């Protein structure tokens, strides 16, 4: 191990001088201000974002680069029209690091040319290739999942039908999980309420992710799907359901939450605490007795939730 | 002190780091004997024995907070005895991580942000700092917040409250998107009470991007760092507010600083002097150089003069950028009673190279003496990070700043205005000038004398709706005009706008052109008054209305700009909802496309320049032709799969030259690139507006660009300036729409062409 570290250390040291050189070149005031709005000319360079050069973008996509370095260079390349970089950055959509995958699509989706349009020989656009990858069951599940993530990160509503379909029908839970995440990213519950349907998925992680997503998108209409999860076998799911119902102030869920708040019905203290907290958020009088009873709960976090809930009830 | 002397100290530190973990320094009249700190893990051993190293995860940027690795501890160390206690000991906390904490004024409690498992969110807890007799809960830990969102960076503030930042969704926009188009994780400030927790939760007005690193000040205010993303501005600066969420004002970094980001600031014993970390926004694992920031006015140190802040890096040799450090980096400083600095420090590069080598920087806790420039080891475990150390020592509880702001009602307006918009320090302190149209290097104070109205612009991010992502060929965020307030004869203006939302201002002249674009977001609480002296008035000057006690605007009453979110003025480029009068493409279709289309450009044939991209599949070069000025909605380049959602030729024609100017391989472009027809946020220098010309709102005979003169860019066709708008039948109202669309940032997307639906679980109640 020490030998390996020493070897890596020497590589790092060798790379340091190159990085310093590149970094210094990227922050020259001239480059910072080129093309920027004239009204910003009075701002100091420290307040502005240094731009990545096309060469730097190509370098970081070539491999042997720390993920954070890739993120920085691509983010600082927001307006850098490096058209030749597109194929290399597109490969990062299938990188092993989730943040690298995210930032690669972030960069790609702002390229006017070369991402959303077909190739010269009629070959599908990069965007369409991603959609096809998600739909192609011969592709490994990890690659289909990454394609679902990318469709979410492209933030184009055209991707909604693809990820909505995959969220409920793909045979792989890994792909369904990624597709639910993509729906959240697209800020959409799906044309057929697929986010709500995913709450009944066989896989616990998918159910948890769908519940989480329901609290983050602007409009979610499937409150009844959440209420059903009060009886879920998994305490992880029950906890997320209670939190979501509290946040949505779902008065129809009070009876179910009252049941979850009791240690005689619910063995998991985290779920009980979430249920009591939700009753406080909903502030329906029907939840008051359960909150008062929770003051005697054997778990001190449930007692905390009860004290706080009662101030709201 | 030189870098060489600092470097010579490092071998000693290295020795101490490995040899003295239990040889803690004795209490030597420092004024404290115990410290509290978090121990956070970075190397995870799985149940199958696999080892994973998380070097920078969750902290790629200085404001990131999502890092979670199980196995954290919250330790109290007695420096005299070496006795260590872990507040979160026990099975219940075995998978916990702690992101931040604070010590109460009487040094009897801590408030901390903890995540109990990967499924959990960071919530706030309090605990005693001494072990009690209850075996089940020996440190009397209480949970204060419970929602499905992260609450972090808690700080005790006076009056039994705790301030913190939260990713909780609220307002009609919900949780805002990181840097306007990343994930929806932006943190805003909130407060709770120690006794009531979530039941007393109060949410403060929002910024567009993250707020982090809260710190209670001795005068009762709350200091914090805020990510300022407003088009090209992209940095982290200092702000403060009252504990009731009012008076969010700049405190430092708005006018130059030694690094892009100023974070983790703490107060020293000197008034308005802070110590914190100056670093890059990314890549330094939230560490950097220690910086001392003095925002006290020269004549009176108790008065804040943020525009003349003096910032001094006090750690020689530590970079303030992202490059590898030759001497390590500092993180999370705290000022000790004797003036020295308790801080985390790690040797080595402390940047992305550590990540590449899978060798985590080893943050330990040290006492840094800025006089001797040396670190004294306090504690450094191998294999973990020791962070956020604070001395367990009582401090005076700050005075309670009285408040009448108790409403969370989003229908109650905030009042915004200036006493005299012409009052500014931008020219005589900062040398700012204005150019374009009637101005040519004109000092800003002189230009502001021409202010006719003040445009109030709401900002929003990609949380707006599906399909809103980059807002077009611009780095600007989404934008909507709430209104344009009249500037009275005495320079005053006053308006009422919706609370909670971030806005920025543009004083505009008689031609509707922005004189200046405010590059800081401002916001207010329901019922709050945010009336400034001027337009960036001198911070230590006297601000009074001209020749009278009451400004004219105040006397006339505020203009009402309480506009519902769906009715605010946006300029969707195309595909606006039916009946929207502000679609830009509709103007072009009506007045311009007969001459500016795919075949003709004015009196000439349309010209094209070519950009080339390599086809990923075929490996062949694909050329794309961009028209010089085609104002039709013809799709130039792009079709989104399964759905027609094109970039119209007009948008690409107008904004691509400016986009290309940012950075582009010259070899990829062939042909003559036209003038920058549209420069986002700068209609005054956009050649399309100069070509069209615009008349005064007060006198149709006065043009922004005098007729008959040459253009500012020889590449604009036509021998000399005319009133081209009048020639083609464009009304002034239509020209103003183009001006506004450009001054607001050149957005393609708006909430009004993306089927925006407000966040429907707004805890503040009715969406406005």
């Amino acid at each position: 191990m020490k030998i390996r570290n020493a070897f890596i250390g020497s590589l790092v040291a060798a790379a340091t001088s190159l990085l310093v050189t590149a970094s210094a070149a990227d922050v020259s005031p001239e480059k910072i201000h080129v093309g920027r709005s004239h009204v910003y000319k009075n701002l100091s360079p420290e307040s502005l974002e240094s731009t990545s050069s096309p060469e730097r973008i190509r370098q970081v996509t070539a491999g042997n680069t720390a993920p954070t370095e890739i993120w920085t260079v691509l983010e600082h390349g927001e307006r850098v029209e490096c058209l030749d970089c597109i194929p290399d950055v597109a490969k990062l959509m299938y990188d092993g690091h989730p943040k690298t995958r995210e930032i690669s699509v972030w960069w790609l989706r702002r390229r006017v040319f070369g991402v959303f349009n077909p190739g010269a020989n009629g070959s599908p656009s990069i965007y369409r290739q991603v959609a096809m990858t998600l739909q192609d069951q011969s592709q490994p599940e990890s690659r289909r999942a990454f394609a679902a993530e990318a469709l979410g990160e492209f933030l184009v509503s055209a991707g909604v039908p693809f990820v909505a379909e995959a969220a409920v029908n793909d045979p792989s839970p890994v792909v369904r999980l990624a597709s639910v995440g993509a729906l959240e990213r697209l800020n959409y519950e799906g044309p057929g309420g697929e986010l709500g349907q995913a709450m009944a998925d066989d896989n616990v992680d998918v159910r948890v992710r769908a519940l989480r997503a329901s609290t983050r998108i602007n409009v979610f209409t499937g409150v009844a799907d959440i209420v059903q999860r009060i009886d879920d076998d998994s305490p992880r799911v029950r906890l997320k359901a209670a939190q979501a119902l509290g946040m949505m102030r779902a008065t129809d869920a009070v009876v179910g939450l009252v049941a979850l708040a009791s240690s005689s019905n619910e063995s998991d203290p985290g779920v009980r605490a979430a249920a009591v907290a939700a009753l406080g958020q909903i502030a329906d009088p029907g939840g008051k007795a359960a909150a008062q009873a929770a003051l005697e709960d054997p778990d001190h976090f449930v007692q905390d939730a009860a004290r706080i809930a009662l101030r709201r009830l | 002190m030189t870098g060489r002397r600092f470097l010579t100290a490092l071998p000693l530190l290295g020795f101490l780091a490995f040899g003295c973990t239990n040889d803690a320094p004795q209490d030597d009249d420092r004024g404290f004997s115990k410290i509290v700190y978090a121990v956070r893990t970075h190397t995870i051993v799985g149940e199958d024995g696999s080892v994973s190293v998380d070097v920078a995860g969750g902290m790629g940027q200085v404001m990131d907070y999502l890092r979670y690795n199980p196995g954290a501890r919250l330790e109290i160390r007695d420096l005299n005895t070496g006795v260590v206690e872990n507040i979160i000991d026990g099975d219940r906390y075995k998978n916990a991580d702690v992101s931040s904490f604070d010590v109460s004024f009487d040094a009897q409690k801590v408030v901390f942000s903890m995540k109990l498992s990967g499924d959990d969110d960071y919530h706030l807890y309090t605990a005693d700092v001494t072990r009690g007799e209850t075996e089940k809960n020996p440190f009397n830990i209480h949970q204060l917040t419970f929602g499905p969102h992260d609450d972090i960076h808690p700080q005790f503030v006076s009056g039994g409250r705790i301030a913190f930042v939260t990713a909780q969704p609220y307002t009609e926009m919900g949780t805002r998107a990181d840097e306007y188009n990343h994930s929806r994780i932006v943190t805003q400030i909130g407060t709770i009470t120690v006794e009531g927790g979530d039941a007393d939760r109060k949410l403060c007005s929002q910024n567009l991007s993250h707020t982090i690193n809260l710190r209670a000040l001795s005068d009762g205010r709350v200091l914090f760092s805020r990510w300022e993303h407003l088009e090209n501005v992209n940095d982290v600066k200092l702000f403060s507010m009252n504990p009731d969420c009012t008076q969010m004002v700049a405190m430092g970094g708005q006018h130059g600083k030694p690094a892009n980001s100023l974070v983790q600031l703490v107060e020293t014993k000197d008034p308005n002097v802070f110590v914190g970390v100056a670093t890059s926004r990314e890549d330094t694992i939230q560490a950097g150089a220690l910086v001392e920031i003095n925002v006290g006015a020269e004549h009176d140190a108790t008065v804040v003069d943020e525009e003349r802040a003096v910032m001094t890096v006090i750690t020689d040799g530590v970079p303030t950028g992202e490059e590898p450090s030759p001497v390590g980096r500092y993180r999370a400083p705290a000022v000790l009673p004797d003036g020295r600095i308790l801080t985390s420090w790690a040797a080595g590069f402390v940047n992305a190279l550590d990540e590449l080598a899978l060798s985590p920087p080893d943050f330990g806790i040290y006492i840094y003496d800025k006089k001797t420039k040396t670190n004294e080891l306090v504690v450094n475990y191998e294999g973990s990070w020791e962070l956020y150390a604070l001395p367990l020592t009582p401090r005076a509880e700050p005075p309670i700043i009285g408040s009448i702001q108790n409403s969370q009602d989003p229908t109650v307006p905030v009042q915004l205005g200036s006493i005299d918009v012409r009052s500014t320090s931008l020219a005589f302190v900062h040398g700012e000038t204005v150019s374009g149209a009637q101005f040519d290097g004109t000092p800003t104070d002189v230009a502001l004398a021409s202010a006719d109205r003040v445009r109030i612009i709401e900002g929003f991010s990609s949380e707006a709706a599906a399909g809103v992502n980059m807002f077009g060929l611009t780095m600007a965020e989404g934008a909507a005009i709430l209104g344009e307030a009249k500037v009275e004869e005495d320079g005053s203006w006053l308006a009422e706008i919706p609370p909670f939302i971030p806005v920025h201002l543009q004083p505009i002249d008689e031609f509707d052109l922005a004189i200046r674009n405010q590059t800081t977001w401002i916001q207010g609480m329901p019922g709050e008054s945010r009336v400034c002296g001027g337009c960036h008035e001198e911070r230590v000057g006297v601000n009074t209305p001209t020749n009278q006690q009451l400004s004219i605007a105040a006397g006339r009453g505020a203009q009402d700009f309480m506009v519902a979110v769906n009715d605010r003025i946006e300029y969707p480029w195309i595909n606006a909802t039916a009946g929207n009068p502000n679609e830009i493409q509709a103007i072009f279709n009506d007045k311009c496309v007969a001459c500016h289309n795919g075949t003709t450009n004015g009196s000439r044939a349309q010209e094209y320049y070519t950009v080339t991209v390599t086809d990923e599949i075929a490996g062949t070069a694909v050329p794309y032709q961009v028209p010089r000025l085609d104002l039709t909605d013809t799709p130039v380049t792009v079709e989104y799969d399964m759905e027609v959602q094109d970039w119209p030729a007009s948008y690409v024609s107008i904004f691509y030259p400016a986009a290309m100017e940012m950075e582009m391989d010259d070899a990829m472009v062939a042909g003559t690139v036209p003038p920058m027809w549209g420069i986002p946020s700068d209609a005054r220098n956009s050649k399309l507006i100069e070509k069209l010309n615009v008349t005064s709102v007060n006198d149709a005979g006065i043009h922004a660009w005098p007729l008959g003169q040459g253009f500012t860019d020889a590449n604009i066709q036509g021998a000399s300036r005319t009133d081209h708008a009048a020639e083609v039948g464009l009304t002034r109202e239509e020209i103003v729409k183009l001006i506004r669309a450009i001054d607001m940032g050149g957005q393609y997307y708006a909430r009004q062409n993306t089927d925006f639906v407000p966040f429907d679980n707004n805890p503040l109640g009715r969406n406005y």
Side-chain angles (χ1 to χ4, degrees), chain A residues 65-130:
Chain A
T65 304
T68 47
E69 183 69 8
I70 296 173
W71 312 340
T72 301
V73 169
L74 289 182
E75 188 168 316
H76 289 217
E78 179 175 5
R79 285 259 301 270
V80 176
E81 289 297 329
C82 175
L83 301 172
D84 275 351
C85 302
I86 290 174
D88 294 326
V89 176
K91 292 173 185 169
L92 296 179
M93 290 191 292
Y94 300 97
D95 186 88
H97 199 296
K99 181 81 174 177
T100 301
R101 297 196 296 273
E102 176 197 327
I103 196 69
S104 65
V105 182
W106 182 90
W107 188 86
L108 286 167
R109 74 175 185 236
R110 62 203 64 230
R111 305 277 73 81
V112 173
F113 302 105
V115 173
F116 292 104
N117 51 293
N121 58 356
S123 59
S125 68
I126 286 178
Y127 184 80
R128 180 158 178 74
Q129 290 173 48
V130 174

Side-chain angles (χ1 to χ4, degrees), chain A residues 49 68 78 116-117 236 299, chain B residues 92 119 180 234 624 639:
Chain A
E49 196 169 69
T68 47
E78 179 175 5
F116 292 104
N117 51 293
R236 294 171 57 205
D299 184 85
Chain B
R92 181 143 204 181
D119 274 351
Y180 81 85
N234 199 346
Y624 295 97
E639 58 179 272

Side-chain angles (χ1 to χ4, degrees), chain B residues 184-243:
Chain B
R184 298 178 71 174
I185 56 173
V186 165
T187 50
Q188 313 282 356
I189 303 177
T191 66
I192 56 173
T193 62
V194 177
E195 291 300 315
D198 264 344
D200 298 325
R201 194 177 183 95
K202 181 176 184 178
L203 298 165
C204 301
S205 49
Q206 294 186 333
N207 186 42
L208 205 70
S209 301
H210 291 270
T211 294
I212 52 167
N213 298 146
L214 306 188
R215 187 66 65 174
L217 298 179
S218 57
D219 65 2
R221 291 176 299 152
V222 179
L223 184 74
F224 56 90
S225 292
R226 192 170 94 177
W227 187 6
E228 205 71 62
H229 193 287
L230 205 163
E231 204 188 326
N232 291 323
V233 175
N234 199 346
D235 62 359
V236 183
K237 306 194 247 301
L238 270 186
F239 290 80
S240 71
M241 69 166 204
N242 293 341

Side-chain angles (χ1 to χ4, degrees), chain B residues 451-507:
Chain B
D452 186 75
R453 280 153 286 151
V454 173
R455 184 180 290 152
I456 305 170
I457 302 173
E458 174 202 8
F460 55 88
S461 302
S462 63
E463 70 276 358
V468 173
N469 47 49
M470 53 185 274
F471 296 103
L473 292 168
T474 173
M475 291 172 75
E477 50 292 312
I481 294 178
L482 297 175
E484 291 177 347
K486 174 178 168 54
V487 174
E488 305 289 355
E489 298 88 72
D490 63 349
S492 64
W493 65 277
L494 197 63
E496 289 187 337
I497 66 166
F500 292 112
I501 61 174
V503 301
H504 71 119
L505 307 175
Q506 291 177 343

